[in-house]
Amino acid sequence: MELLVDPAAANLCATTAARRRHRSGARFLRCSCSSRDEPATRAWASYSSAGGNMARAVKSVTRMKTNGWNGDGHGGWAAAAAREESSVVLEAVEDEYGGMVVDADRLPSDTGGFARSLAASLSHWKSAGKKGVWLKLPLDRSEFIPSAVKEGFRYHHAEEAYLMLTYWIPDEPCLLPANASHQVGVGGFVINDQMEVLVVQEKYSGSTLLGAWKLPTGFIHASEEIFTGAVREVEEETGIDTEFMELIAFRHAHNVAFHKSDLFFICMLRPLSGDIRIDEAEIQAAKWMPLPEFMEQPFVQEDHMFRKISDICVRRLRRRYCGLTAHHVVSKFDGGASTLYYNAAEHERGDPSCDAAAACHGLAVLRI
């Protein structure tokens, strides 16, 4: 009896065998670097060259099964087609740097299929000259992590709903940007017309600040402006509404929480209300404290940084120091809006004494 085999099915079998040989001999560079979680701009083909014939091959297998042929007793064409179908290149888009960003919404549904598709994808992208690969695994696909790590992927960063992994293909130094290296904090120096500073005592603080009255502080949120974060933190901790005036100074420290660097910005704010309502979950007490009393606290006098910050704020009130104001700008570099902080009084008015700026904000001149 003569057996007719569709040419596409035969080509599929040869391609599958060649792929196995290629994958077994492939060696990819393992790199611990990683990258941004950003959408890409150019769509990438979902299938490899062999996958282009998949539909015809599956139809051919279906016809053979209908005619009573079901393989050679060791899996046959049906098993080969099923394995090849689960090994197609993952859906991905190409980024502007020649890398691939895997579509997290179109991942295979099972661990085995993901592992086979990931191996096929790396082989295909390597042959296509691609570079970094970004693999975002949602929380409900966390069982895929061991397969990705086995292929050489490394952790980049984690958020509440996903883990980002990266893979560097070329046999050369990894150029993928590292995870975010800084946390950003803000402090609000709020002073009223009676030269009283808004201060708080935190419920949970280190021994060095136990019983001390300090400025309201906190961390800014994602995509939040520095001055907006300062206004929000003051309102959340004390209930006082404020208006941003100037960025007075900032501190840069390293190896803080989780070995990250830390940026801490001191903002001068003008109060728009006076009645204090504390956040009882974080704040033990809050009050308006005369500026000289605030300055004389031991933790201010004995700590060089706190003393310097306080001195700068006093110099600003005496119009002997100019802070930075916020200005919205648009740059052609990234096409987006951003905030540029600079000394408008000196740059635009030619007034290094800051008298004009102080008058605009209605500050009284400090005489102590």
Side-chain angles (χ1 to χ4, degrees), residues 164-182:
M164 179 66 76
L165 301 99
T166 59
Y167 187 102
W168 183 249
I169 296 176
D171 188 11
E172 59 187 38
C174 179
L175 299 179
L176 296 178
N179 183 25
S181 59
H182 286 67

PDB file of all heavy atoms in Angstrom, residues 164-182:
ATOM      1  N   MET A 164      10.096  40.982  36.745  1.00  0.00           N
ATOM      2  CA  MET A 164      10.766  41.247  35.469  1.00  0.00           C
ATOM      3  C   MET A 164      12.115  40.538  35.460  1.00  0.00           C
ATOM      4  O   MET A 164      12.912  40.681  36.395  1.00  0.00           O
ATOM      5  CB  MET A 164      10.963  42.745  35.263  1.00  0.00           C
ATOM      6  CG  MET A 164      11.691  43.092  33.963  1.00  0.00           C
ATOM      7  SD  MET A 164      10.731  42.663  32.502  1.00  0.00           S
ATOM      8  CE  MET A 164       9.516  43.998  32.521  1.00  0.00           C
ATOM      9  N   LEU A 165      12.353  39.743  34.399  1.00  0.00           N
ATOM     10  CA  LEU A 165      13.626  39.064  34.217  1.00  0.00           C
ATOM     11  C   LEU A 165      14.252  39.515  32.902  1.00  0.00           C
ATOM     12  O   LEU A 165      13.541  39.961  31.997  1.00  0.00           O
ATOM     13  CB  LEU A 165      13.445  37.541  34.203  1.00  0.00           C
ATOM     14  CG  LEU A 165      12.827  36.914  35.451  1.00  0.00           C
ATOM     15  CD1 LEU A 165      11.349  36.661  35.228  1.00  0.00           C
ATOM     16  CD2 LEU A 165      13.524  35.598  35.808  1.00  0.00           C
ATOM     17  N   THR A 166      15.564  39.385  32.797  1.00  0.00           N
ATOM     18  CA  THR A 166      16.259  39.802  31.581  1.00  0.00           C
ATOM     19  C   THR A 166      17.273  38.758  31.145  1.00  0.00           C
ATOM     20  O   THR A 166      17.737  37.935  31.938  1.00  0.00           O
ATOM     21  CB  THR A 166      16.992  41.144  31.792  1.00  0.00           C
ATOM     22  OG1 THR A 166      17.933  40.986  32.863  1.00  0.00           O
ATOM     23  CG2 THR A 166      16.030  42.259  32.135  1.00  0.00           C
ATOM     24  N   TYR A 167      17.616  38.830  29.863  1.00  0.00           N
ATOM     25  CA  TYR A 167      18.582  37.904  29.266  1.00  0.00           C
ATOM     26  C   TYR A 167      19.376  38.675  28.224  1.00  0.00           C
ATOM     27  O   TYR A 167      18.801  39.376  27.383  1.00  0.00           O
ATOM     28  CB  TYR A 167      17.833  36.749  28.608  1.00  0.00           C
ATOM     29  CG  TYR A 167      18.700  35.628  28.082  1.00  0.00           C
ATOM     30  CD1 TYR A 167      18.832  34.448  28.794  1.00  0.00           C
ATOM     31  CD2 TYR A 167      19.358  35.739  26.866  1.00  0.00           C
ATOM     32  CE1 TYR A 167      19.616  33.405  28.319  1.00  0.00           C
ATOM     33  CE2 TYR A 167      20.148  34.703  26.386  1.00  0.00           C
ATOM     34  CZ  TYR A 167      20.266  33.539  27.104  1.00  0.00           C
ATOM     35  OH  TYR A 167      21.040  32.515  26.629  1.00  0.00           O
ATOM     36  N   TRP A 168      20.697  38.570  28.289  1.00  0.00           N
ATOM     37  CA  TRP A 168      21.570  39.270  27.323  1.00  0.00           C
ATOM     38  C   TRP A 168      22.143  38.234  26.365  1.00  0.00           C
ATOM     39  O   TRP A 168      22.863  37.322  26.769  1.00  0.00           O
ATOM     40  CB  TRP A 168      22.674  40.018  28.058  1.00  0.00           C
ATOM     41  CG  TRP A 168      23.570  40.814  27.153  1.00  0.00           C
ATOM     42  CD1 TRP A 168      24.878  40.554  26.862  1.00  0.00           C
ATOM     43  CD2 TRP A 168      23.234  42.005  26.441  1.00  0.00           C
ATOM     44  NE1 TRP A 168      25.377  41.510  26.009  1.00  0.00           N
ATOM     45  CE2 TRP A 168      24.383  42.416  25.731  1.00  0.00           C
ATOM     46  CE3 TRP A 168      22.073  42.760  26.333  1.00  0.00           C
ATOM     47  CZ2 TRP A 168      24.410  43.549  24.924  1.00  0.00           C
ATOM     48  CZ3 TRP A 168      22.095  43.889  25.526  1.00  0.00           C
ATOM     49  CH2 TRP A 168      23.239  44.283  24.840  1.00  0.00           C
ATOM     50  N   ILE A 169      21.832  38.361  25.076  1.00  0.00           N
ATOM     51  CA  ILE A 169      22.186  37.347  24.089  1.00  0.00           C
ATOM     52  C   ILE A 169      23.619  37.463  23.578  1.00  0.00           C
ATOM     53  O   ILE A 169      24.342  36.459  23.548  1.00  0.00           O
ATOM     54  CB  ILE A 169      21.191  37.385  22.913  1.00  0.00           C
ATOM     55  CG1 ILE A 169      19.785  37.004  23.409  1.00  0.00           C
ATOM     56  CG2 ILE A 169      21.628  36.433  21.800  1.00  0.00           C
ATOM     57  CD1 ILE A 169      18.709  37.096  22.343  1.00  0.00           C
ATOM     58  N   PRO A 170      24.097  38.642  23.142  1.00  0.00           N
ATOM     59  CA  PRO A 170      25.422  38.708  22.511  1.00  0.00           C
ATOM     60  C   PRO A 170      26.551  38.282  23.454  1.00  0.00           C
ATOM     61  O   PRO A 170      26.463  38.436  24.666  1.00  0.00           O
ATOM     62  CB  PRO A 170      25.564  40.189  22.137  1.00  0.00           C
ATOM     63  CG  PRO A 170      24.173  40.711  22.092  1.00  0.00           C
ATOM     64  CD  PRO A 170      23.430  39.953  23.145  1.00  0.00           C
ATOM     65  N   ASP A 171      27.606  37.755  22.864  1.00  0.00           N
ATOM     66  CA  ASP A 171      28.786  37.385  23.641  1.00  0.00           C
ATOM     67  C   ASP A 171      29.678  38.609  23.793  1.00  0.00           C
ATOM     68  O   ASP A 171      30.790  38.677  23.266  1.00  0.00           O
ATOM     69  CB  ASP A 171      29.535  36.251  22.925  1.00  0.00           C
ATOM     70  CG  ASP A 171      30.654  35.691  23.784  1.00  0.00           C
ATOM     71  OD1 ASP A 171      30.692  36.034  24.985  1.00  0.00           O
ATOM     72  OD2 ASP A 171      31.484  34.940  23.255  1.00  0.00           O
ATOM     73  N   GLU A 172      29.164  39.571  24.535  1.00  0.00           N
ATOM     74  CA  GLU A 172      29.841  40.847  24.758  1.00  0.00           C
ATOM     75  C   GLU A 172      29.283  41.450  26.037  1.00  0.00           C
ATOM     76  O   GLU A 172      28.267  40.970  26.554  1.00  0.00           O
ATOM     77  CB  GLU A 172      29.622  41.795  23.573  1.00  0.00           C
ATOM     78  CG  GLU A 172      28.163  42.094  23.302  1.00  0.00           C
ATOM     79  CD  GLU A 172      27.936  42.898  22.022  1.00  0.00           C
ATOM     80  OE1 GLU A 172      28.645  42.649  21.031  1.00  0.00           O
ATOM     81  OE2 GLU A 172      27.052  43.777  22.050  1.00  0.00           O
ATOM     82  N   PRO A 173      29.915  42.491  26.593  1.00  0.00           N
ATOM     83  CA  PRO A 173      29.411  43.076  27.850  1.00  0.00           C
ATOM     84  C   PRO A 173      27.953  43.480  27.750  1.00  0.00           C
ATOM     85  O   PRO A 173      27.500  44.035  26.738  1.00  0.00           O
ATOM     86  CB  PRO A 173      30.318  44.298  28.056  1.00  0.00           C
ATOM     87  CG  PRO A 173      31.581  43.937  27.359  1.00  0.00           C
ATOM     88  CD  PRO A 173      31.172  43.134  26.154  1.00  0.00           C
ATOM     89  N   CYS A 174      27.230  43.189  28.802  1.00  0.00           N
ATOM     90  CA  CYS A 174      25.796  43.503  28.858  1.00  0.00           C
ATOM     91  C   CYS A 174      25.577  45.008  28.932  1.00  0.00           C
ATOM     92  O   CYS A 174      26.199  45.704  29.733  1.00  0.00           O
ATOM     93  CB  CYS A 174      25.179  42.827  30.075  1.00  0.00           C
ATOM     94  SG  CYS A 174      23.426  43.166  30.276  1.00  0.00           S
ATOM     95  N   LEU A 175      24.665  45.504  28.097  1.00  0.00           N
ATOM     96  CA  LEU A 175      24.382  46.937  28.052  1.00  0.00           C
ATOM     97  C   LEU A 175      22.997  47.279  28.589  1.00  0.00           C
ATOM     98  O   LEU A 175      22.570  48.433  28.499  1.00  0.00           O
ATOM     99  CB  LEU A 175      24.499  47.445  26.604  1.00  0.00           C
ATOM    100  CG  LEU A 175      25.879  47.291  25.953  1.00  0.00           C
ATOM    101  CD1 LEU A 175      25.842  47.810  24.515  1.00  0.00           C
ATOM    102  CD2 LEU A 175      26.943  48.025  26.750  1.00  0.00           C
ATOM    103  N   LEU A 176      22.298  46.322  29.143  1.00  0.00           N
ATOM    104  CA  LEU A 176      20.970  46.601  29.679  1.00  0.00           C
ATOM    105  C   LEU A 176      21.078  47.447  30.940  1.00  0.00           C
ATOM    106  O   LEU A 176      21.919  47.181  31.802  1.00  0.00           O
ATOM    107  CB  LEU A 176      20.249  45.292  30.005  1.00  0.00           C
ATOM    108  CG  LEU A 176      19.953  44.377  28.820  1.00  0.00           C
ATOM    109  CD1 LEU A 176      19.292  43.099  29.313  1.00  0.00           C
ATOM    110  CD2 LEU A 176      19.082  45.073  27.795  1.00  0.00           C
ATOM    111  N   PRO A 177      20.245  48.478  31.078  1.00  0.00           N
ATOM    112  CA  PRO A 177      20.309  49.312  32.293  1.00  0.00           C
ATOM    113  C   PRO A 177      19.887  48.526  33.521  1.00  0.00           C
ATOM    114  O   PRO A 177      19.052  47.632  33.452  1.00  0.00           O
ATOM    115  CB  PRO A 177      19.323  50.449  31.992  1.00  0.00           C
ATOM    116  CG  PRO A 177      18.403  49.891  30.961  1.00  0.00           C
ATOM    117  CD  PRO A 177      19.210  48.943  30.142  1.00  0.00           C
ATOM    118  N   ALA A 178      20.494  48.850  34.638  1.00  0.00           N
ATOM    119  CA  ALA A 178      20.204  48.150  35.890  1.00  0.00           C
ATOM    120  C   ALA A 178      18.888  48.630  36.483  1.00  0.00           C
ATOM    121  O   ALA A 178      18.274  49.592  36.003  1.00  0.00           O
ATOM    122  CB  ALA A 178      21.343  48.378  36.882  1.00  0.00           C
ATOM    123  N   ASN A 179      18.475  47.961  37.518  1.00  0.00           N
ATOM    124  CA  ASN A 179      17.260  48.337  38.235  1.00  0.00           C
ATOM    125  C   ASN A 179      17.432  49.716  38.880  1.00  0.00           C
ATOM    126  O   ASN A 179      18.555  50.191  39.054  1.00  0.00           O
ATOM    127  CB  ASN A 179      16.971  47.286  39.313  1.00  0.00           C
ATOM    128  CG  ASN A 179      15.686  47.563  40.064  1.00  0.00           C
ATOM    129  OD1 ASN A 179      14.786  48.212  39.559  1.00  0.00           O
ATOM    130  ND2 ASN A 179      15.606  47.061  41.279  1.00  0.00           N
ATOM    131  N   ALA A 180      16.318  50.351  39.231  1.00  0.00           N
ATOM    132  CA  ALA A 180      16.358  51.659  39.884  1.00  0.00           C
ATOM    133  C   ALA A 180      17.259  51.609  41.104  1.00  0.00           C
ATOM    134  O   ALA A 180      17.203  50.681  41.903  1.00  0.00           O
ATOM    135  CB  ALA A 180      14.952  52.091  40.287  1.00  0.00           C
ATOM    136  N   SER A 181      18.105  52.628  41.242  1.00  0.00           N
ATOM    137  CA  SER A 181      19.138  52.609  42.281  1.00  0.00           C
ATOM    138  C   SER A 181      18.846  53.533  43.452  1.00  0.00           C
ATOM    139  O   SER A 181      19.569  53.503  44.445  1.00  0.00           O
ATOM    140  CB  SER A 181      20.485  53.004  41.664  1.00  0.00           C
ATOM    141  OG  SER A 181      20.405  54.303  41.088  1.00  0.00           O
ATOM    142  N   HIS A 182      17.810  54.369  43.351  1.00  0.00           N
ATOM    143  CA  HIS A 182      17.560  55.383  44.379  1.00  0.00           C
ATOM    144  C   HIS A 182      16.122  55.331  44.882  1.00  0.00           C
ATOM    145  O   HIS A 182      15.194  54.962  44.152  1.00  0.00           O
ATOM    146  CB  HIS A 182      17.812  56.790  43.829  1.00  0.00           C
ATOM    147  CG  HIS A 182      19.256  57.129  43.666  1.00  0.00           C
ATOM    148  ND1 HIS A 182      20.068  56.513  42.744  1.00  0.00           N
ATOM    149  CD2 HIS A 182      20.036  58.037  44.301  1.00  0.00           C
ATOM    150  CE1 HIS A 182      21.289  57.027  42.812  1.00  0.00           C
ATOM    151  NE2 HIS A 182      21.288  57.951  43.749  1.00  0.00           N
TER     152      HIS A 182
END
